[in-house]
Amino acid sequence: MNTNQIETMTEFSFHFSVVGQLSEFVKLQLFDGYGQMVAENYERIDLILPKGLYQLYIFSNETFEKEYIVLDRNYEGNWNNRGSYSSIPNSFLESSHSYYTDAVEKWSKKTTMDRLPILREDTSLFIFFRYPSKEAREGQTKGSETMSWRFSILDSNRKKIYQFNEDNAKEDRNTGWLAFNATLPHGIYYLVYRGHKNTTREIPLQVFAHWQTQFFLTFKKTPIFSTARIQIVQPLADDIITQEDNLQLDALLRNMQNGNYFVPKNIIDKTAFDKWYNPMLAIAVCYAYLLSPQETDNNLFRNIIRNLEQKILNYSDSSDIKIIKLLAAIHFNEEIPVLDIDTPCMVNAGIKTLIEQNIRFPERIRISGLCELILPDLNSDMVWTSYTPPNYNVFEHKNVFKISDTLLLDFSNFPDVLIPEVDTLGEPLIVYAKNEIPTDWVTQSIMSQLSAKSSKPYTSAELAKQFQVSTFYVEKSLRNIQKVISNNFLIDIMQEKGDFSQEEIIMLKDNMQKII
């Protein structure tokens, strides 16, 4: 094509593609000279476009780049996707270093207490803390000398079974890593970090029979919880294959953390037809697909969910699997199952789904036990479920108070004390003494809202949606409020403290009557 022909043309071909690993996760947006988006796609854009100036936005992991393109002839370009940062060691990632990769390779295959090898049929929990690099660790002048400080593990009965120390964990303080590995019965465990008041948190970790649950976390002075990654692997599997799974999982989780639930077609097909080396990838794929508007692979996901529950993890009591089945019913427009979830799921999107569906279907979706207790104290800074731990029900002696499956309990069946008795049937969310004013933020917020002059009639479901807790939690808070406004002694205290005026108390009582 000669110069004269090009000058007379008004349209040209535009071809742009992303190359390199994880290119299918790279999002492209193309804008014209007026700022109007003309194309949006993952990995490549192929169009015939009018002559003019264009802006191309490239989104990859936490990276954002912008390119200006003058389209005055046929254009073909590409962009190389480069590895970025993750807590998971992987040769593709710029954040990987041999001293971290070697430590993971060594200690994921043996226990850190007695150095016994992890066998293929074993069930285990592996935890790995690291710094961004040994240079970052060497430059550390503040913070704890050891990364083990303040971390502990609770079992399903909320009994402390490990406090991280030099007897049960291995640590290299020079390069900056810590490893913990123990064989455990399958079930739910809780990693607890006792930091300052506003950094104390708990993270549920599900351990499946004959699999190893792995938890990775990066430090910089203190833990950076947004960097947490969880995997479910078999330590003796082919490292090359698992590294590919780990990269895809990391990219998918990063997208989910940013509210993007797109699942590339090749990842869906891999999850449906390939051997699973990291079932957490399948769990994340199920969450992302079922929370997205994608529908082209619905039949594949019926099989994926069935395999996940019955063949791969073989543990139908997992809260994540229960919530995935709930999401499937919604996505496939099927009957909503009857569920009672009493332990937190690992994926934060699952907790959000649970709250939303409890509000929509309170007669079919019930949240109870520990899962109910933690709702007002959820964190939102990571893709995993985490929350401020309920301090008063963690015991270290043999008689551990167990948060169990509970019925819809009447408050009158419980003594007027805040600390629960050992070996009782179960603990309602918050029970205050007869002459005690509720201090939890949900109850306080509801009282403040219902005492306002402009307050309109509310339902329990509306309040639950507003405060992102279950309807059952709201109902318990309303019962506690009813106790307060029925007690003249407490009303006098609130007025003396200036918390509520007499007019606000009257409005509170009136609105409580409308709800109840």
Side-chain angles (χ1 to χ4, degrees):
M1 186 179 298
N2 59 45
T3 304
N4 290 333
Q5 288 177 309
I6 292 176
E7 289 177 351
T8 59
M9 292 179 64
T10 59
E11 291 186 332
F12 299 94
S13 62
F14 180 96
H15 301 288
F16 189 90
S17 61
V18 181
V19 297
Q21 277 192 284
L22 303 177
S23 59
E24 64 270 27
F25 286 97
V26 178
K27 187 176 183 179
L28 304 173
Q29 291 180 337
L30 185 65
F31 296 84
D32 63 18
Y34 299 99
Q36 298 295 315
M37 185 187 297
V38 296
E40 181 179 44
N41 200 20
Y42 287 85
E43 196 169 7
R44 65 182 301 112
I45 292 178
D46 298 293
L47 291 171
I48 301 296
L49 294 171
K51 180 179 180 179
L53 177 66
Y54 292 85
Q55 293 182 62
L56 180 67
Y57 289 1
I58 304 169
F59 302 88
S60 175
N61 294 327
E62 72 279 6
T63 302
F64 166 69
E65 291 190 18
K66 183 191 299 184
E67 291 190 8
Y68 292 93
I69 299 166
V70 178
L71 192 64
D72 56 3
R73 63 191 62 224
N74 292 334
Y75 174 82
E76 186 163 348
N78 61 63
W79 186 81
N80 185 36
N81 191 33
R82 298 174 295 277
S84 56
Y85 179 82
S86 176
S87 294
I88 301 173
N90 190 291
S91 57
F92 175 67
L93 300 171
E94 295 176 357
S95 57
S96 284
H97 304 285
S98 60
Y99 41 87
Y100 295 143
T101 305
D102 293 345
V104 170
E105 173 72 14
K106 176 180 179 179
W107 290 109
S108 64
K109 291 179 168 58
K110 63 175 69 176
T111 63
T112 49
M113 276 143 286
D114 46 25
R115 296 173 177 262
L116 293 177
I118 299 292
L119 305 178
R120 187 175 296 276
E121 64 272 16
D122 282 341
T123 303
S124 58
L125 174 62
F126 174 71
I127 295 173
F128 190 79
F129 300 154
R130 54 168 286 182
Y131 277 81
S133 65
K134 67 178 181 180
E135 289 78 16
R137 179 67 182 98
E138 291 167 354
Q140 189 69 57
T141 56
K142 296 181 180 179
S144 175
E145 184 179 351
T146 172
M147 288 185 279
S148 66
W149 190 55
R150 296 183 180 275
F151 280 95
S152 59
I153 297 176
L154 311 180
D155 65 10
S156 60
N157 292 324
R158 303 197 58 71
K159 178 182 177 181
K160 186 186 292 184
I161 56 175
Y162 290 106
Q163 177 73 49
F164 283 9
N165 55 46
E166 59 185 13
D167 295 327
N168 54 43
K170 301 301 179 185
E171 184 173 15
D172 184 335
R173 298 184 186 180
N174 293 322
T175 55
W177 61 261
L178 177 142
F180 169 90
N181 196 354
T183 55
L184 296 167
H186 74 270
I188 188 75
Y189 294 86
Y190 304 96
L191 179 65
V192 180
Y193 172 70
R194 299 282 178 185
H196 296 294
K197 186 176 180 181
N198 62 341
T199 57
T200 300
R201 73 171 68 201
E202 181 172 296
I203 302 169
L205 298 172
Q206 188 80 56
V207 177
F208 297 91
H210 313 308
W211 291 89
Q212 182 179 90
T213 295
Q214 297 184 337
F215 179 85
F216 296 88
L217 183 66
T218 298
F219 277 59
K220 194 173 182 181
K221 295 183 180 179
T222 56
I224 308 172
F225 286 101
S226 60
T227 67
R229 290 292 180 264
I230 300 174
Q231 302 184 144
I232 304 169
V233 302
Q234 291 180 329
L236 303 182
D238 189 312
D239 185 57
I240 295 176
I241 297 176
T242 55
Q243 280 212 28
E244 181 183 355
D245 279 12
N246 299 347
L247 278 178
Q248 292 169 341
L249 173 62
D250 192 71
L252 191 59
L253 292 173
R254 198 182 299 269
N255 281 352
M256 290 175 64
Q257 196 161 349
N258 293 324
N260 179 3
Y261 296 105
F262 168 75
V263 185
K265 176 61 177 172
N266 68 312
I267 306 298
I268 293 175
D269 290 341
K270 174 180 180 175
T271 305
F273 301 115
D274 285 3
K275 185 175 180 180
W276 292 3
Y277 293 93
N278 186 350
M280 183 54 78
L281 175 60
I283 290 175
V285 166
C286 285
Y287 270 116
Y289 180 86
L290 296 172
L291 285 167
S292 76
Q294 294 174 264
E295 294 184 343
T296 54
D297 295 288
N298 282 0
N299 289 331
L300 283 181
F301 273 87
R302 297 178 197 275
N303 293 329
I304 291 172
I305 295 168
R306 191 180 304 114
N307 290 337
L308 187 63
E309 178 184 10
Q310 298 176 0
K311 295 181 180 180
I312 308 301
L313 296 178
N314 194 27
Y315 189 62
S316 59
D317 199 41
S318 162
S319 294
D320 283 285
I321 293 178
K322 288 180 180 179
I323 295 171
I324 285 172
K325 291 170 71 176
L326 169 62
L327 279 170
I330 298 167
H331 197 86
F332 303 149
N333 197 27
E334 297 175 348
E335 182 181 1
I336 301 299
V338 176
L339 289 179
D340 187 343
I341 307 293
D342 63 351
T343 56
C345 56
M346 288 189 288
V347 180
N348 190 33
I351 284 284
K352 293 179 179 178
T353 296
L354 198 56
I355 294 171
E356 291 169 0
Q357 300 311 315
N358 167 264
I359 294 169
R360 290 182 63 197
F361 308 104
E363 72 285 353
R364 301 190 72 82
I365 308 300
R366 177 140 193 274
I367 311 173
S368 62
L370 177 63
C371 194
E372 178 87 17
L373 185 65
I374 55 96
L375 293 184
D377 298 308
L378 290 168
N379 298 311
S380 59
D381 60 345
M382 55 194 295
V383 72
W384 311 106
T385 300
S386 72
Y387 45 86
T388 303
N391 295 323
Y392 67 84
N393 63 346
V394 177
F395 295 86
E396 297 184 39
H397 49 71
K398 291 185 177 179
N399 294 322
V400 179
F401 173 76
K402 184 176 181 180
I403 292 188
S404 57
D405 295 333
T406 58
L407 302 174
L408 194 58
L409 300 171
D410 186 336
F411 281 147
S412 62
N413 294 333
F414 291 87
D416 290 319
V417 293
L418 183 59
I419 304 299
E421 296 291 334
V422 174
D423 294 329
T424 56
L425 172 64
E427 170 68 4
L429 293 181
I430 300 175
V431 178
Y432 292 94
K434 289 181 179 178
N435 290 329
E436 185 177 2
I437 298 171
T439 56
D440 66 286
W441 75 266
V442 174
T443 305
Q444 285 279 318
S445 298
I446 293 174
M447 289 177 69
S448 177
Q449 187 154 315
L450 296 183
S451 65
K453 287 184 180 181
S454 59
S455 182
K456 63 175 183 177
Y458 287 93
T459 65
S460 296
E462 288 173 330
L463 292 169
K465 185 176 182 180
Q466 178 179 342
F467 297 114
Q468 285 297 286
V469 295
S470 69
T471 53
F472 189 38
Y473 196 107
V474 168
E475 288 164 4
K476 288 184 176 183
S477 292
L478 291 173
R479 293 190 187 188
N480 280 330
I481 294 172
Q482 187 61 42
K483 286 184 179 181
V484 171
I485 62 178
S486 301
N487 187 323
N488 291 331
F489 175 74
L490 294 180
I491 291 175
D492 291 341
I493 291 177
M494 290 192 298
Q495 289 180 316
E496 288 176 6
K497 291 172 62 180
D499 294 337
F500 295 91
S501 66
Q502 185 172 357
E503 185 179 359
E504 288 172 331
I505 293 292
I506 293 172
M507 183 64 67
L508 175 59
K509 288 182 177 181
D510 182 55
N511 286 322
M512 280 291 295
Q513 287 296 323
K514 293 176 183 177
I515 293 178
I516 293 173

